Each structure stands twice: as C-alpha cells, then as structure tokens.
Amino acid sequence: MDFITILSIFVMACFVGYYVVWSVTPALHTPLMAVTNAISSVIIVGALIAGAAGGSPTAKWLGLIAVALASVNIFGGFAVTARMLAMYKKKER
Amino acid sequence: MEHTAPPAWVMLAYLISGVFFILALRGLSSPATSQRGNRFGMAGMLIAVVTTLVTHEVASLPEILGAIAIGGGIGWVTARRIAMTDMPQLVAAFHSLVGLAAVLVAAAAFLNPAAFGIVGADGLINPVSRIEMGLGIAIGAITFSGSVIAFLKLAGKMSGAPILLPLRHVINLGTLAAILGLIGYFTVDQSPWIFWTVTALAFLIGFLLIIPIGGADMPVVVSMLNSYSGWAAAAMGFTLHNTAMIITGALVGSSGAILSYIMCKAMNRSFISVIAGGFGAEAAVSGGEAKEQRPWKRGSAEDAAYMMQQAESVIIVPGYGMAVAQAQHALREMADVLKKQGVSVKYAIHPVAGRMPGHMNVLLAEASVPYDEVFELEDINSEFAQADVAFIIGANDVVNPAAKTDKTSPIYGMPVFDVDKAKTVFFVKRSMGGVGYAGVDNDVFYMDQTMMLLADAKKMCEDIVKALQH
C-alpha cells in the first residue's frame, strides 16, 4: 500500500470515529475509555512482528516486553469493560 | 528490500478486525447492545493477533505465548479486583502501558527495520517510515510519562496540587519544537543519537505537561491521554501499513479528543487553559478567606424522610463525595424505599460528577441503580422546577447558582443543575466548612427552602432509611 492509500484509510477512520463516538451514550463514557484502551493495544501486532523476527536480539526482547505490556491492556481492558457493562441493568418490572 | 504487499486475505483480515473495533464502539450507544459490542472488540483483537502470528515466521513462539500469558494474567487479575472508585487510576495506568508498548515497538523497528519491511533500496530506512517511527516513539513516550504522572495524582500517591515551574511555557514549547525539529532532521540523517534524543525529550515533555495540571482537571487529562494512546497506535500503523492499527488509532484518537471536549465544556474551561495548567492553585488561596456568616437551617434524617415521603417527585444529585463516603448502596436503598411508597425518584448526573467521564454512572450501576432512572444534565435540568425535593449528596460546585449569576466566580459559565428551583432542597454535607473543588461558597446552603443535613453521607442515608421505615 502506498502512503496516500494509508492516509485515506486514516482520514476516513477519523470521520467514522467522530460520528461513532458522538453516538455513545454519556452513561457509558467510562466503559468507552476502558474499551478504547483495550483496542488501542492492537499495537501488539507490531510487538509480535518484532518479537517473532530473528536478526536483532535486542529488538526481539523489546518486542517481547511490548507483547507482555499490550497483553496486560488487552485482557485487563476487555475484562474490566465486560465487568462494568454487566452492572448496567434496566428497571425491574 | 522493498515493502512487499501481503496476500489479499491478510489485508482483508486486518480490515475485518478494524471493522469489528468500530462495531465495539458502536455497541456502546446503548447499555442493551454494549456487551455484544465488547465481544466484537475481543473478536477483532483475536483476528489481528492470529493473522500476525500466522503470516510471520515466528522464531520464538514459546516466548511470545509466555509474554501473552504473563501480561494477560496480570491484566485479568487486575480487572477482576479493581474497585470501581479506582477506575480513573486503572485507565491512566493502562494508558501508560500502551504508550510504553508503542515506544518499544518503534525502538524495535529502528533496531531491526528489515523485520518490519521498511528498508529502502539504498539499505537505509525509508524517509517516510522514519517520520512515522519518530512520531510514534514521541507520542508513545509522552503518553507513557504523562499517564504515569496522571496515575500518581489520581491514586493520591502524589499531591493533586499543580506544580508550577518558572518559565514552564517556554520550556515546554522549546522541548516540543526540538522534538519536531529532530524528527524532521531524522529524515535526512538516520543516526541513532537523533532517535534516542527524540525519545528522551518526549519522556521529559510528557512529565512536564502533566505536573502543572491540578486534580480537578484530571478528567480532561485522562481523556487527552486516551487520545494520545490512539495517535501513537495510528503512527505505528502507518509504519507497518496495517489497516487494523490505523483504524483503531483513528477511533481511539477521536474518542479521547471528543471526551476531552465534553469534559472541558462541562467545566466551561478552554482546552488550552487546562493544558496550560495551574487551575486550583489560586482557588486554594481564595478558599481560605473569611466568609460572611449567613443564616442556614439544619435538618435531621427524620425531616428528610418526612418531606420525601410526602413528595411526588425526588431528584437525587450525587457527586464524588458520595462515592468517597461509599454511600451509593445506602442511597439506592433509600431510593428503593421511597419508590415502594409511590414517590418518583430520579438521579441527575453532571458530566464532571466523577473523576473521569461517565464515572458516576458506573458507580451507580454498581450499586444496582437501574440505568433508566439516571439522567444527564441537559435531559433533567428542566424538571427541577416541578420537583418537590432535590436531594444533593456529595456534590457542590455542580449545583452552585453562582455559575449562572456571578461573573467574578471561578466557575462562572459552567453548566449547573437548577436545584434552587425545587420546592425543597436537602444538602448532605459533612460540615459547613468545606467548599468544592473550585473553593467557592454556595448560595444554595442559605436558601429558605434548603435544609442542611450535616453528617457522613452513608450514615445519613442509612438514618433516612430507618426513619422512612417507621
């Protein structure tokens, strides 16, 4: 992919993000932050590439540490979001 | 080695992952669809991880799985154990990890560019990749050190008072300019010293940017760092030509930016003035001034119980003080008893009622308050005029009419609840001495229809419940 293609995806995604986030109900803004935290750990993709590659041992270890850090966020972020969302109940009856 | 395009199915898999992340946020438009949304998020992450592992030659699978298990275990246990009142600290800590992960990935890409396919025909790293990498490591480092400070302030391990260095604006702008200048120069000279200097300066500026910001502005800071963590992921997505990372980065970046905007608007502060810092430093001084003595009425739990039983509608305005006193369960019990006796009970939430956006809603949800009894400021404010009782518990600045009338007040212009229009006001407060974050007196205390309930919030709610059941 050339730079312009990537930039186009990025700009479009910013617009999607703008409209999707404004439609989030204010009552769920804390879960929103927790889940955005979890998904921003998709940076683990880069960490995996670094951790999987041979060549530079330093780069590999940096990658592995990044994998561990991102995993804290992924598991922690999704789990805490699920825990919060399960608390939101409608009125009985 | 030129960057060779991966097979179509791989690009498709990352695209699906990105779309699932959009659906995860979309699900949050209502509590009813939110749990399904969260599962979309998990599926998106699984797709991204598996695709990456399958399409790369993995020389160290046991180590990678070990790293995931260790990190995942820590994250899982923390998420299970954390108290809901501590959510802002947890989110700040998580942001710092995303930031640090971005720094490490960018550093690894610099040390082993061939693995990332960003080496040009001349054997050097592509100039465009160098900019992306430089921005990635800079934003990542700022997110990290900024979030660490935010975490320390929110967790009370560091004073919430702003720390103001002399010439701080000059130092900050100078450091930022140096970072950008060096990233620019990095495109013509890929010497390691430039890269590591950018990293060091970015760690420093993250620290410098957050220390002057006071505790009251932390909701904005946490949202802002949320945004940064997204931009850091997006920058790395550019380096890796990875759609999932770019889409996610843009989503998270916009999300944090919008939340910062909402928080600033709710406090009537400009984003620039929050970033410039110092709020709360002067307020602490003015709060110490001798105030004129004005008459006020003290009520008892029995008075409150009697008045609310007679009422048709009660609106409860909870603030962070309620959560500090751990009164949410007792408060919900009080509301339940009232509802059984035929009184309409609603909760009114100000955007800055908690320590982060939507925090109060989570705290009430944890205490089993149904979410359809909880209303946002703009949806309920007109109802105070018809309400028989406004019950204020642990809130102060968000009900202060000075925000509407007194142009000299530090909170002037902040949207507030019109509790002064309710027929009767009960104000639960520990003592008459304390003032809100902004350090200003509140006219609501002295109104004819106000009764001050001076006690610990939890104790007061329990006493009212007892009196109601008589």
Side-chain angles (χ1 to χ4, degrees):
Chain A
M1 280 192 286
D2 57 10
F3 181 73
I4 292 302
T5 313
I6 300 174
L7 188 65
S8 315
I9 297 172
F10 177 69
V11 172
M12 291 300 144
C14 285
F15 278 95
V16 172
Y18 180 86
Y19 289 105
V20 170
V21 171
W22 272 116
S23 76
V24 171
T25 168
L28 294 176
H29 276 164
T30 296
L32 170 69
M33 286 185 96
V35 83
T36 49
N37 214 261
I39 65 173
S40 62
S41 302
V42 72
I43 197 149
I44 195 172
V45 167
L48 288 169
I49 295 172
S56 161
T58 322
K60 179 184 136 182
W61 281 105
L62 291 180
L64 287 173
I65 298 170
V67 169
L69 294 178
S71 300
V72 174
N73 250 323
I74 293 172
F75 285 80
F78 282 125
V80 86
T81 309
R83 200 180 134 203
M84 279 191 275
L85 294 178
M87 292 172 183
Y88 284 78
K89 299 261 160 48
K90 251 193 138 114
K91 223 181 300 196
E92 290 154 34
R93 95 189 100 92
Chain B
M1 188 166 73
E2 271 298 322
H3 197 282
T4 45
W9 76 265
V10 175
M11 298 185 32
L12 208 57
Y14 285 128
L15 180 62
I16 292 170
S17 163
V19 171
F20 276 17
F21 290 147
I22 296 173
L23 292 174
L25 300 199
R26 180 69 202 150
L28 292 173
S29 58
S30 131
T33 56
S34 59
Q35 283 173 302
R36 193 180 57 203
N38 198 35
R39 285 193 283 276
F40 267 117
M42 296 181 203
M45 189 62 73
L46 190 67
I47 294 172
V49 169
V50 171
T51 308
T52 310
L53 287 177
V54 171
T55 51
H56 288 81
E57 248 178 74
V58 183
S60 49
L61 195 60
E63 286 105 313
I64 285 178
L65 294 179
I68 293 177
I70 294 170
I74 296 172
W76 178 263
V77 171
T78 315
R80 292 277 117 195
R81 291 206 181 146
I82 191 84
M84 287 298 142
T85 37
D86 293 341
M87 198 52 68
Q89 293 92 295
L90 180 75
V91 167
F94 278 173
H95 287 159
S96 75
L97 297 183
V98 180
L100 191 55
V103 169
L104 296 176
V105 172
F110 179 68
L111 294 172
N112 191 5
F116 288 79
I118 50 175
V119 182
D122 52 0
L124 297 171
I125 302 172
N126 296 324
V128 177
S129 300
R130 286 185 226 166
I131 295 188
E132 296 157 356
M133 207 187 259
L135 287 175
I137 204 161
I139 303 172
I142 293 173
T143 311
F144 173 72
S145 53
S147 298
V148 168
I149 301 299
F151 167 79
L152 292 174
K153 287 197 173 191
L154 285 163
K157 294 183 162 69
M158 182 177 162
S159 159
I163 299 168
L164 303 175
L165 299 176
L167 287 176
R168 62 182 203 277
H169 297 310
V170 179
I171 299 172
N172 290 352
L173 290 175
T175 314
L176 274 181
I179 291 172
L180 291 176
L182 283 170
I183 292 175
Y185 184 57
F186 191 49
T187 57
V188 288
D189 177 2
Q190 68 167 62
S191 310
W193 73 266
I194 301 175
F195 191 69
W196 304 121
T197 310
V198 166
T199 314
L201 287 176
F203 277 124
L204 179 71
I205 189 82
F207 174 77
L208 291 175
L209 279 175
I210 309 302
I211 54 164
I213 303 180
D217 284 338
M218 276 304 139
V220 181
V221 171
V222 175
S223 314
M224 185 184 83
L225 292 166
N226 185 235
S227 179
Y228 289 177
S229 69
W231 303 132
M236 294 319 297
F238 274 93
T239 310
L240 297 177
H241 295 206
N242 185 295
T243 328
M245 282 169 88
I246 292 167
I247 294 178
T248 313
L251 289 178
V252 179
S254 325
S255 165
I258 290 171
L259 291 176
S260 314
Y261 169 80
I262 293 173
M263 287 296 111
C264 284
K265 227 179 101 205
M267 298 192 288
N268 192 38
R269 311 272 322 277
S270 79
F271 189 67
I272 297 293
S273 80
V274 171
I275 297 306
F279 188 69
E282 308 92 50
V285 179
S286 68
E289 277 171 29
K291 287 189 290 273
E292 53 167 330
Q293 291 291 317
R294 286 194 277 171
W296 49 275
K297 280 196 293 266
R298 179 164 189 165
S300 67
E302 288 73 28
D303 297 332
Y306 177 76
M307 292 296 287
M308 288 198 281
Q309 266 170 331
Q310 306 301 318
E312 255 175 54
S313 65
V314 172
I315 302 178
I316 299 172
V317 184
Y320 195 67
M322 177 212 66
V324 173
Q326 290 292 321
Q328 48 278 45
H329 291 273
L331 179 69
R332 197 253 312 147
E333 214 179 305
M334 182 190 97
D336 282 351
V337 177
L338 285 171
K339 279 192 287 177
K340 274 206 197 91
Q341 303 187 354
V343 183
S344 140
V345 181
K346 288 176 178 175
Y347 295 80
I349 309 283
H350 195 278
V352 294
R355 284 288 164 89
M356 67 186 286
H359 194 195
M360 187 54 67
N361 302 76
V362 176
L363 295 171
L364 291 179
E366 190 190 21
S368 316
V369 172
Y371 64 79
D372 40 5
E373 287 176 7
V374 181
F375 296 87
E376 302 301 318
L377 173 67
E378 58 267 34
D379 298 327
I380 200 166
N381 215 6
S382 59
E383 293 185 28
F384 280 101
Q386 286 92 48
D388 296 307
V389 174
F391 187 87
I392 302 155
I393 177 163
N396 192 348
D397 292 338
V398 298
V399 296
N400 194 337
K404 291 181 284 188
T405 51
D406 179 6
K407 285 201 168 123
T408 62
S409 170
I411 58 168
Y412 180 73
M414 177 171 139
V416 290
F417 290 115
D418 298 330
V419 292
D420 45 331
K421 293 189 181 148
K423 289 193 194 78
T424 308
V425 177
F426 288 105
F427 210 121
V428 183
K429 208 169 173 304
R430 195 172 275 279
S431 70
M432 285 305 282
V435 284
Y437 257 139
V440 284
D441 205 6
N442 193 336
D443 285 339
V444 172
F445 302 160
Y446 314 104
M447 295 189 312
D448 286 339
Q449 74 268 41
T450 302
M451 268 194 241
M452 300 301 294
L453 304 174
L454 299 183
D456 173 71
K458 186 177 176 190
K459 177 92 184 18
M460 179 52 72
C461 290
E462 287 166 353
D463 289 349
I464 295 174
V465 170
K466 266 184 227 145
L468 282 170
Q469 285 166 336
H470 254 287

